[in-house]
């Protein structure tokens, strides 16, 4: 069971989307370690930054180390009117339907050499252009479905169909007022009904504020307004400088650290974006460690031990007996597996155990 979730990168033309995506694809990990065939040209695989993996690598000195990975899809630049087929319109929208989360790159810098599609820099207007296109596309899906259901639901007195029709009407009314379904507190049951429609406006979103090199350490006025806008949407803003990211992508780890230090920043914008996208999708990491291999495994928060074991191999889930677990923090605190055991911190967990981020696991199974 492969946990492959992808974030799609969207944005208007000339916002720095391609520069950012090129930095992502250059951060491409060694293909040899991974069982992926050639990846589509518009998909970039990245490593999820995790200091725990480095710590375990130093402790176990394994033959190989495999970090958690994550996919970004580059989606062709959007133009106003995409929902009506402008630009690459429908193709663009169908590509977004396939991703699990949206990273919306918004231009937050002045540069007289780079023309802006609308003539001037205005992050809110840019974000709105994209959001409105997504809303219009969803409205069309909802209206088509309602027309199809028509009076049938009401006449047949079909409870399920009535529930669906009412919910779609509610969404339609809100979308027409420019209220995003993401901001309606929908219940689990409602989300279940909506799942087959794969609505664009329900996908989790992060705004990526692309700034100039000078503004990498401070919040310029554009970033400020974008953050205010995003907080109303209950979403976050990650500030990056695509130009710096593309320079960083050319460097090895040591030089990268130096460069970041000179810039006065802790971690690269891309690393921040990867971590935020990972969190946005409700993903966490559990680890396996030993002299052969140290590896980070991606799972969806809330998954139980047998399902997590199944990510490694279906047999592990089928024949699951117990999971031997210690938390990474305990291993770090006590310094060795033996000492964790002596401190009574090594646990045997059963089928109902909900996996926690940073659990180091050894699965017992019998097929």
């Amino acid at each position: 069971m492969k946990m492959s979730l992808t974030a799609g990168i969207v944005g208007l033309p000339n916002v720095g989307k391609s520069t950012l995506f090129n930095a992502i694809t250059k951060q491409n990990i060694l293909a040899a370690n991974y069982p992926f065939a050639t990846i589509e040209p518009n998909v970039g695989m990245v490593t999820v930054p995790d200091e725990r993996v480095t710590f375990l690598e130093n402790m176990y000195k394994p033959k190989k180390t495999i970090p958690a990975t994550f996919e970004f899809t580059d989606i062709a630049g959007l133009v106003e009117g995409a929902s009506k087929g402008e630009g690459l319109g429908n193709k663009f929208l169908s590509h977004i339907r396939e991703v699990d989360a949206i990273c919306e790159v918004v231009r937050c810098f002045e540069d007289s050499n780079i023309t802006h599609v609308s003539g001037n820099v205005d992050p809110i207007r840019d974000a709105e252009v994209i959001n409105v296109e997504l809303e219009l596309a969803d409205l069309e899906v909802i209206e088509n479905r309602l027309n199809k259901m028509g009076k049938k639901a009401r006449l047949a007195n079909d409870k399920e169909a009535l529930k669906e029709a009412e919910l779609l009407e509610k969404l339609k009314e809100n979308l027409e007022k420019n209220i995003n379904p993401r901001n309606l507190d929908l219940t689990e049951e409602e989300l279940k009904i909506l799942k087959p429609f794969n609505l664009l406006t329900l996908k989790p979103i992060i705004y990526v504020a692309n700034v100039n090199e000078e503004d990498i350490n401070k919040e310029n006025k554009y970033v400020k307004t974008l953050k205010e806008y995003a907080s109303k949407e209950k979403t976050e803003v990650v500030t990056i400088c695509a130009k710096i990211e593309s320079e960083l992508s050319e460097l090895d780890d040591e030089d990268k650290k130096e460069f970041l230090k000179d810039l006065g920043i802790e971690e690269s914008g891309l690393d921040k974006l990867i971590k935020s996208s990972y969190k946005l999708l409700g993903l966490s990491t559990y680890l396996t460690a030993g002299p052969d291999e140290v590896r980070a495994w991606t799972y969806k928060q809330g998954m139980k031990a047998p399902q997590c074991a199944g990510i490694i191999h279906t047999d592990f889930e089928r024949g699951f007996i117990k999971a031997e677990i210690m938390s990474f923090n305990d291993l770090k605190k006590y310094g060795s597996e033996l000492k964790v055991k002596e401190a009574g911190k090594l646990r045997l967990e059963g089928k109902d155990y909900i996996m926690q981020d940073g659990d180091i696991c050894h699965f017992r199974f019998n097929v």
Side-chain angles (χ1 to χ4, degrees), residues 79-223:
V79 293
E80 202 163 347
S83 53
K84 297 182 185 62
E86 291 293 325
L88 289 166
N90 303 334
K91 194 173 170 197
F92 165 86
L93 294 164
S94 71
H95 281 165
I96 300 193
R97 288 216 190 274
E98 285 160 26
V99 300
D100 303 285
I102 299 170
C103 295
E104 193 172 310
V105 184
V106 181
R107 177 167 163 176
C108 291
F109 65 89
E110 299 273 2
D111 187 336
S112 52
N113 299 321
I114 304 173
T115 55
H116 189 290
V117 229
S118 309
N120 66 328
V121 178
D122 180 346
I124 307 302
R125 179 203 52 218
D126 293 0
E128 288 275 286
V129 166
I130 290 189
N131 293 340
V132 165
E133 290 306 324
L134 302 183
E135 285 167 11
L136 289 170
D138 278 352
L139 256 177
E140 198 181 332
V141 169
I142 290 170
E143 281 166 353
N144 288 345
R145 176 65 181 160
L146 284 169
N147 290 338
K148 232 188 203 143
M149 293 173 81
K151 297 187 183 107
K152 199 178 77 191
R154 294 173 190 82
L155 291 175
N157 206 357
D158 175 341
K159 278 203 181 85
E160 292 306 305
L162 276 170
K163 228 184 249 173
E164 185 186 320
E166 273 168 23
L167 177 59
L168 291 175
E169 287 288 359
K170 174 168 107 174
L171 257 61
K172 180 173 177 269
E173 276 167 33
N174 280 288
L175 279 167
E176 282 167 347
K177 292 182 203 148
N178 206 0
I179 296 169
N180 198 302
R182 225 181 293 119
N183 299 331
L184 304 171
D185 290 320
L186 298 170
T187 64
E188 284 295 314
E189 190 193 1
E190 288 175 322
L191 290 171
K192 213 171 181 173
I193 296 172
L194 295 171
K195 202 173 180 354
F197 301 110
N198 210 351
L199 296 175
L200 302 169
T201 48
L202 278 177
K203 292 188 189 293
I205 193 166
I206 285 181
Y207 292 103
V208 182
N210 186 16
V211 299
N212 271 340
E213 287 130 296
E214 304 80 72
D215 290 337
I216 193 69
N217 276 325
K218 58 177 197 281
E219 209 175 84
N220 71 24
K221 59 179 181 183
Y222 300 123
V223 175

Side-chain angles (χ1 to χ4, degrees), residues 280-309:
L280 186 70
L281 285 168
L283 299 177
S284 283
T285 306
Y286 76 83
L287 305 138
T288 50
D292 283 334
E293 178 186 275
V294 160
R295 184 161 182 170
W297 302 87
T298 299
Y299 71 95
K300 197 107 169 122
Q301 283 159 21
M303 275 170 84
K304 292 185 174 171
Q307 291 171 289
C308 286

Side-chain angles (χ1 to χ4, degrees), residues 247-263:
E247 286 166 24
L248 280 168
S249 66
E250 307 282 350
L251 306 172
D252 63 29
D253 284 352
E254 280 313 302
D255 292 344
K256 203 168 160 180
K257 274 189 196 130
E258 262 319 289
F259 188 30
L260 287 170
K261 207 168 135 192
D262 292 344
L263 290 167

Side-chain angles (χ1 to χ4, degrees), residues 17 38 63 73 75 81 97 135 145 150 200 216 219 222 232 238 275 282 286 302 306 312 321 334 341 349:
K17 195 169 72 70
T38 45
K63 291 179 190 135
T73 306
I75 294 168
R97 288 216 190 274
E135 285 167 11
R145 176 65 181 160
L200 302 169
I216 193 69
E219 209 175 84
Y222 300 123
K232 287 182 201 136
V238 174
K275 283 182 182 169
Y286 76 83
I312 300 179
I321 302 169
Y334 295 105
K341 220 177 202 160
E349 300 288 0

